[in-house]
Amino acid sequence: MNRTLTLSDLLAHPQNGGLRIITGEPGISLPEAFVESAEDRLPWNNLGDLAVLTIAPPSDAWQQDALIRRVRDRGFGALALLDADRFGVGTRVLAGRLGLALLHVDRPMELAQAWWQLREGRDSLMLSYVRKAARSFEYRAEGVSDMIGHLAANLGHGIALVSREGVLAQSGGILSAGLLSEIDFAPWLDTARSAHGCVASVRVDSAGRSGLRLAVFGQGFGEVQLGALAMAAEVMMPAVAARILIDEVAEVNDASVSAGLLGDFLEKRSAPDLDLERRMLDRGWGIGGYHLGFRMVGRTRIDALQLLRELKRYLSGLSADWQAVTLGEGIAGWLNFPAPLRQNDLEAQVAALKAMHVEVRRSFNIATGIGTPDSGPTGLAETINGASEAARIATQRSATGWFVRMDALGIEQLLLSWTENDTFVPAARSLLAPLRESNAELVPTLGSYLDHESSISATAAALGLHRNTVAARVSRIQELLGLDLSDAETRLALRLACRAVAG
């Protein structure tokens, strides 16, 4: 191979001996490299080559100036040597005026080897990358992200697992959106360079997930290095694909266990089950404190596991602890808080969940429901079931963007949500909460009053109370609820709510 290298090519090599520019531009050409112990051993030439000296420079400024002049007089365009960062300002200015790039290097022989690999030994460079990648697999990886971290650390370059939608995992650097856009997802191997950097990528041959690529990226790669990295990426890809498959199997198993556990918990919410709660705690689920449940269901057939992956990206950016699992044809989850939320904080959390819903709907045809805030293990079941009911209503509510919040439902919506099952309970509890908080006797009084066709006398007889007591309670109920009990639909809704709570 006969190709002129540039200084930037050497700077991009992961094993360049600790090369740093003191003066000069990274774009200068370095046709050849010569390694000697002293400048008088360097040949005479006019090609602007790289001179690498293995001894430290003199300490006196006039001697440093003399060294710079002698190397430049021999026709070299760049000088790399130990302790070049000790050169004084005057010497650096002189080097710049003479057109000599002054470079510091910690390990001169390693720099020479890097130059040779880039200039003459492409196969050697590629094999070097492959050996480093192979060493990465000696370390136990907890997942694909961990494996990519090992690869990046050993290769000395950024590595990312990407799709057209974005970066799924990366280490050793940040793959910019601009450089990601330069990747061609069609061919098996692809290399690209732009103002954003350089990248070599290979299609990931995964049966579980399509459209993925393994990319190695950085700045200033020459053609030789970029080509070697592309081949190294091809060698690394099967191990990464296998790790993805292992992770997917584990993810499916974990999702199945989580769904079963949550399903059992929701079924037994009225009777505390300490074993269930212990298993939930073992999985790191927050079941104490205060909760806000949410539920996403598909309006058409969806991949619930893929939806869960997408949700986790957004949930990780929230300011609350969270949990989400696949459940039926969708996702059930909750936010967990150590203390009750103030109204403003609650509104902010609901707004964040709605923003997540809007973003996810770009890829999934879903409806989302938000439950009523509640506390403790029993409250967790209530808020999730309330969210499930709200989600069911949301599937028919295009006017609200397929998003419904249970505690924002009015009387009419409560009637529409009644389906003769206990998912109505959270909404009923929320509606009757002012009565329960004021006086424990008000809810049964209201239920009896409505069951007896709004008759004060009949209610008093049924409850064994004086009619004046019942009349006072009914007046208090209307005041607390702010509802007109003479309205037929209002009475029906309240009667259903009382029965749901009593049940």
Side-chain angles (χ1 to χ4, degrees):
M1 178 175 292
N2 185 16
R3 174 185 174 275
T4 297
L5 299 182
T6 65
L7 177 53
S8 62
D9 294 334
L10 280 173
L11 290 170
H13 196 292
Q15 291 181 300
N16 57 22
L19 186 66
R20 299 197 305 273
I21 295 179
I22 305 302
T23 65
E25 297 297 328
I28 63 171
S29 297
L30 302 173
E32 297 289 344
F34 295 86
V35 183
E36 296 292 349
S37 59
E39 92 282 346
D40 59 1
R41 294 177 176 271
L42 293 171
W44 292 84
N45 71 77
N46 294 301
L47 300 176
D49 296 332
L50 169 65
V52 182
L53 300 182
T54 59
I55 61 172
S59 57
D60 293 336
W62 69 269
Q63 291 177 312
Q64 293 174 357
D65 290 351
L67 173 62
I68 295 297
R69 289 184 180 278
R70 289 196 296 269
V71 171
R72 188 69 185 99
D73 287 346
R74 288 176 181 266
F76 286 90
L79 170 64
L81 72 169
L82 297 164
D83 298 329
D85 49 3
R86 294 185 181 179
F87 278 53
V89 175
T91 302
R92 299 184 186 197
V93 171
L94 175 62
R97 188 168 67 246
L98 295 176
L100 180 71
L102 185 58
L103 312 172
H104 169 88
V105 63
D106 294 321
R107 298 174 296 282
M109 296 309 297
E110 189 174 296
L111 173 61
Q113 182 180 17
W115 185 93
W116 180 83
Q117 285 184 329
L118 293 172
R119 178 71 165 79
E120 303 291 348
R122 173 174 177 169
D123 290 342
S124 173
L125 181 60
M126 187 271 289
L127 290 173
S128 173
Y129 281 135
V130 170
R131 284 195 296 270
K132 292 174 184 176
R135 285 200 299 271
S136 303
F137 303 133
E138 297 174 2
Y139 302 97
R140 174 180 173 80
E142 297 300 329
V144 68
S145 295
D146 197 27
M147 175 177 283
I148 287 175
H150 293 325
L151 290 168
N154 279 317
L155 263 68
H157 296 301
I159 297 182
L161 181 67
V162 303
S163 68
R164 295 181 187 276
E165 288 71 37
V167 176
L168 305 179
Q170 64 183 339
S171 185
I174 303 297
L175 180 64
S176 68
L179 190 53
L180 175 62
S181 68
E182 299 290 339
I183 297 176
D184 187 346
F185 278 75
W188 176 253
L189 283 175
D190 177 62
T191 61
R193 56 163 38 89
S194 70
H196 304 288
C198 308
V199 60
S201 67
V202 61
R203 190 166 66 237
V204 176
D205 189 12
S206 171
R209 298 182 65 180
S210 60
L212 302 182
R213 295 188 77 86
L214 182 65
V216 185
F217 61 93
Q219 297 289 331
F221 296 159
E223 291 295 335
V224 171
Q225 191 173 7
L226 197 56
L229 287 171
M231 287 185 281
E234 190 172 16
V235 171
M236 293 186 291
M237 184 276 294
V240 173
R243 183 70 248 188
I244 291 173
L245 181 59
I246 292 171
D247 289 355
E248 286 178 345
V249 171
E251 184 182 29
V252 170
N253 290 338
D254 182 73
S256 177
V257 171
S258 295
L261 182 58
L262 184 60
D264 290 344
F265 173 73
L266 295 177
E267 287 181 7
K268 299 181 179 181
R269 69 186 185 281
S270 60
D273 189 319
L274 296 182
D275 180 63
L276 268 176
E277 292 178 15
R278 178 189 58 76
R279 288 160 54 197
M280 294 171 74
L281 290 171
D282 287 345
R283 296 186 73 79
W285 293 3
I287 62 175
Y290 296 80
H291 321 287
L292 180 64
F294 61 90
R295 186 85 159 91
M296 286 188 174
V297 296
R299 298 187 62 251
T300 54
R301 187 176 181 84
I302 61 171
D303 183 338
L305 192 57
Q306 186 61 33
L307 172 60
L308 180 61
R309 294 191 189 108
E310 186 78 5
L311 282 185
K312 287 181 176 180
R313 294 174 51 199
Y314 294 100
L315 288 168
S316 61
L318 298 184
S319 59
D321 292 334
W322 56 270
Q323 188 56 246
V325 302
T326 58
L327 190 66
E329 297 299 319
I331 303 297
W334 64 96
L335 307 185
N336 186 254
F337 309 94
L341 289 175
R342 293 177 298 182
Q343 190 62 34
N344 288 345
D345 294 331
L346 174 61
E347 296 303 324
Q349 296 295 340
V350 172
L353 291 173
K354 186 170 185 179
M356 179 177 71
H357 162 81
V358 171
E359 287 299 318
V360 172
R361 268 195 57 78
R362 299 178 189 277
S363 304
F364 297 88
N365 186 12
I366 57 162
T368 299
I370 305 298
T372 302
D374 216 324
S375 62
T378 301
L380 174 60
E382 297 291 359
T383 189
I384 293 176
N385 278 289
S388 297
E389 179 60 20
R392 187 190 66 77
I393 298 171
T395 60
Q396 307 298 322
R397 296 295 180 87
S398 61
T400 63
W402 318 108
F403 182 92
V404 167
R405 177 176 170 182
M406 179 58 77
D407 61 5
L409 292 173
I411 293 296
E412 181 184 356
Q413 286 79 14
L414 288 174
L415 287 169
L416 291 173
S417 74
W418 178 253
T419 57
E420 296 183 355
N421 63 48
D422 54 10
T423 57
F424 178 71
V425 172
R429 288 186 184 276
S430 178
L431 177 64
L432 300 177
L435 306 186
R436 293 159 59 198
E437 293 168 1
S438 176
N439 185 333
E441 299 298 325
L442 293 182
V443 172
T445 299
L446 174 61
S448 180
Y449 176 74
L450 295 171
D451 285 341
H452 290 87
E453 304 296 334
S454 303
S455 168
I456 296 291
S457 299
T459 303
L463 296 177
L465 299 173
H466 192 280
R467 65 186 315 278
N468 290 344
T469 301
V470 172
R473 288 185 182 179
V474 170
S475 177
R476 179 61 174 158
I477 288 169
Q478 292 192 99
E479 177 184 347
L480 289 171
L481 295 181
L483 299 175
D484 180 8
L485 296 186
S486 65
D487 180 76
E489 288 189 350
T490 297
R491 290 198 306 273
L492 175 57
L494 289 172
R495 189 176 184 185
L496 294 174
C498 288
R499 288 187 176 183
V501 170

